[in-house]
């Protein structure tokens, strides 16, 4: 099935829109559109409505740029959290992932991406500019830079570091090392090398 | 990232709806929803609108049950096609695939599925009942059953055959055999065996 025109302009348009989503090509888009059709109008209407709401009603937390129902997100509104720590992450999924570990009780700062010149994303496209002021005003003592272990993540981490290093705070990064459950022989050299350089007191390794 | 609740009900709802699509799990749905958010309101509105139209405006051809802009689809409305042949297929994608070959100039009959008791799809859920009458009324001389080479496809093909065998027409099935470009040693035994039993005059194999 090549680029044959579909039997209906409505179908063609929906396939075109669905195929703009990441990881969905034209064939998958046709499969999704036919599934929506096969499931009947209610199914499609409900999906369309939920995407409509997503596009128009979702807000961004004015403090941390996390997705939110209101001006300040649930996490920023929770005063029981540790206001001395801010964790800088790429996007909302990272907030979810870190919340899931149960190991961090501070606040977040969502950059909304990483610096990636190839994709046309520069520092001005990220929420970095307001971070130093936020750190100063909130009595933050430590910023944990929790960005992806990629070239783009490292570049962004260094940019964030430069913006903060004049402040009297600790700036830390996620530990890189051999993953729990991983065999040493399958770890790549850089990760294994880093995990030797950054070795920890044995008692620490007993903590979950 | 497990089943942690998302930071917004709107997001949660969109993720829930997207995850109902085939082949899209919760993680993919979150990725799609965040992409829609990141692309800005216009992107999401356009997608929502196209799905809304798909769900409410698309019609089905009253003759062949193909997706259509009007009561009768483009193919059925084309009087230059060969009215002596009807090709029975599972769904719209098969119409596109066969049209793409350029080898069939007759009309189609889209069943809208195959019999699959495990998925609760019985003959009454398919557009089979109107096929015998359509064949009789239109002067059709041959019905080509072009259903998938699966257990469900074979069951459905046999059901269609039983519904038509009292009529004075030829009922044929797609040739099963070694695919063009395939090495014999990699073809499965049943396909290879079938391609020996149903061998064709050598001159026929020279046609595309």
């Amino acid at each position: 099935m090549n680029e044959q025109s579909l039997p209906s302009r409505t179908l063609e348009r929906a396939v075109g829109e669905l195929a703009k989503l990441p990881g969905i090509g034209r064939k998958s888009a046709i499969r999704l559109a036919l599934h929506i059709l096969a499931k009947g109008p209610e199914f499609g209407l409900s999906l369309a409505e939920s995407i409509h709401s997503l596009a128009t009603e979702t807000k961004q937390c004015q403090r941390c740029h996390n997705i939110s129902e209101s001006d300040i997100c649930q996490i920023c509104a929770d005063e029981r959290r540790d206001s001395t720590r801010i964790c800088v992450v790429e996007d909302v999924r990272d907030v979810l992932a870190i919340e899931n570990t149960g190991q961090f009780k501070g606040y977040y700062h969502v950059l909304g991406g990483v610096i990636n010149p190839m994709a046309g994303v520069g520092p001005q496209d990220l929420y970095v500019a307001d971070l130093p002021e936020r750190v100063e005003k909130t009595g933050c003592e430590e910023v944990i830079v929790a960005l992806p272990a990629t070239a783009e993540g490292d570049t962004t981490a260094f940019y964030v570091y430069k913006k903060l290093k004049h402040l009297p705070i600790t700036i830390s990064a996620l530990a890189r090392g051999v993953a729990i459950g991983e065999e040493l022989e399958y770890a790549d050299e850089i990760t294994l090398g880093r995990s030797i350089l950054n070795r920890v007191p044995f008692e620490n390794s007993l903590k979950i």
Side-chain angles (χ1 to χ4, degrees), chain A residues 164-198:
Chain A
L164 296 176
K165 67 176 180 186
H166 65 283
L167 296 172
I169 56 164
T170 307
I171 304 173
S172 49
L174 288 189
R176 308 293 185 197
V178 182
I180 309 289
E182 194 181 4
E183 302 278 358
L184 292 198
E185 58 180 327
Y186 295 121
D188 68 283
E189 294 160 17
I190 298 173
T191 302
L192 191 54
R194 196 85 76 86
S195 76
I196 294 171
L197 286 176
N198 296 335

Side-chain angles (χ1 to χ4, degrees), chain A residues 56-70:
Chain A
T56 54
E57 290 170 23
T58 310
K59 292 182 182 178
Q60 204 175 57
C61 173
Q62 292 179 356
R63 207 170 288 166
C64 74
H65 313 294
N66 192 1
I67 291 168
S68 172
E69 291 277 277
S70 42

